[in-house]
Amino acid sequence: MDIPAFRIVENNAWKELTKLIGICPGSFDPITNGHIDIIERGSKLVDKLIVAVCENPNKKGLFTMEERAELIRQSTTHIKNVEVSSFSGLLNEFVKAQNGQIIIRGLRALTDFEYEFQRALFSKYLDDDIETVFIMTNNRYSFLSSTGVRELAYFDGKLDGLVPPVVQEAILKKYKK
Ligand code: ADP
């Protein structure tokens, strides 16, 4: 469904424009600086970017869905057109419910490609008009993953430069418990 977002004056007439809404889905357990880089760059491609925490029934996470969403919120306050949400169920249904048109994902190494390729084709099979757009990792963060961060924190490794300070605090608290 097209949503008239704003109007511009063109030849003295009002014209409706459609707002471009992107969805950036992921587990974000927890959000890393690699994710933030993708969110910053992705937010420039759309009018509104919804960062969506998805429930993965196959993974028991470190943080709850609410905690992950809150950490994303606190880490992205500098990006004005970002909203944070969470869902369980089919991504494409969530995208449609948000009136979204594109899915934004980050791509690191070849191992990501195989998985992302299959996901993108699946999405296209389900809904031909939803496009998946990939943003290549920033080479500063090409090695960075939430799994790596969790492991490093578990063994008391330094997280400086890998996750925002608010995530560092939250992860340390979790492991102290
Ligand atoms: P998922 O479990 O759905 O893969 P993640 O939270 O691991 O969720 O990742 C969400 C998205 O962010 C994915 O598209 C992933 O490839 C991307 N991503 C994660 N870390 C990085 C990084 N360091 N650089 C670029 N993209 C990344």
Side-chain angles (χ1 to χ4, degrees):
M1 190 177 62
D2 288 345
I3 309 281
F6 35 78
R7 292 157 184 268
I8 54 165
V9 180
E10 199 178 71
N11 301 327
N12 290 330
W14 288 100
K15 192 184 172 193
E16 282 185 355
L17 291 181
T18 301
K19 201 172 184 178
L20 190 57
I21 299 176
I23 313 292
C24 184
S27 312
F28 303 103
D29 188 28
I31 187 167
T32 70
N33 287 350
H35 289 128
I36 293 174
D37 180 69
I38 297 297
I39 295 167
E40 283 170 352
R41 291 157 66 201
S43 70
K44 292 181 189 148
L45 306 178
V46 293
D47 295 300
K48 179 164 86 173
L49 183 66
I50 302 174
V51 182
V53 180
C54 13
E55 185 170 27
N56 185 341
N58 301 319
K59 284 190 201 166
K60 193 193 167 313
L62 177 64
F63 290 98
T64 65
M65 306 259 293
E66 292 72 30
E67 288 169 334
R68 293 179 215 180
E70 189 49 35
L71 289 174
I72 300 172
R73 252 177 232 117
Q74 292 179 20
S75 309
T76 55
T77 49
H78 61 293
I79 319 170
K80 292 296 160 243
N81 60 339
V82 163
E83 265 181 37
V84 183
S85 186
S86 57
F87 71 98
S88 49
L90 264 187
L91 171 61
N92 281 40
E93 294 307 318
F94 177 79
V95 173
K96 285 186 279 187
Q98 302 298 318
N99 300 306
Q101 300 94 336
I102 66 171
I103 297 168
I104 295 183
R105 299 275 295 172
L107 259 192
R108 281 161 301 185
L110 277 181
T111 40
D112 271 351
F113 180 81
E114 191 75 32
Y115 172 70
E116 296 294 343
F117 182 73
Q118 198 190 26
R119 268 185 79 141
L121 292 190
F122 223 115
S123 163
K124 201 83 187 127
Y125 167 79
L126 294 173
D127 296 284
D128 196 33
D129 51 356
I130 297 178
E131 290 298 336
T132 305
V133 173
F134 295 102
I135 299 183
M136 208 58 76
T137 185
N138 181 321
N139 71 22
R140 274 192 288 164
Y141 303 126
S142 58
F143 62 93
L144 186 53
S145 67
S146 299
T147 310
V149 163
R150 290 195 306 268
E151 282 176 12
L152 194 59
Y154 184 79
F155 293 112
D156 285 332
K158 272 184 72 162
L159 297 178
D160 297 351
L162 303 181
V163 295
V166 68
V167 174
Q168 285 197 39
E169 277 167 36
I171 205 166
L172 288 179
K173 256 192 216 157
K174 276 271 173 202
Y175 281 129
K176 268 189 197 147
K177 273 187 199 163

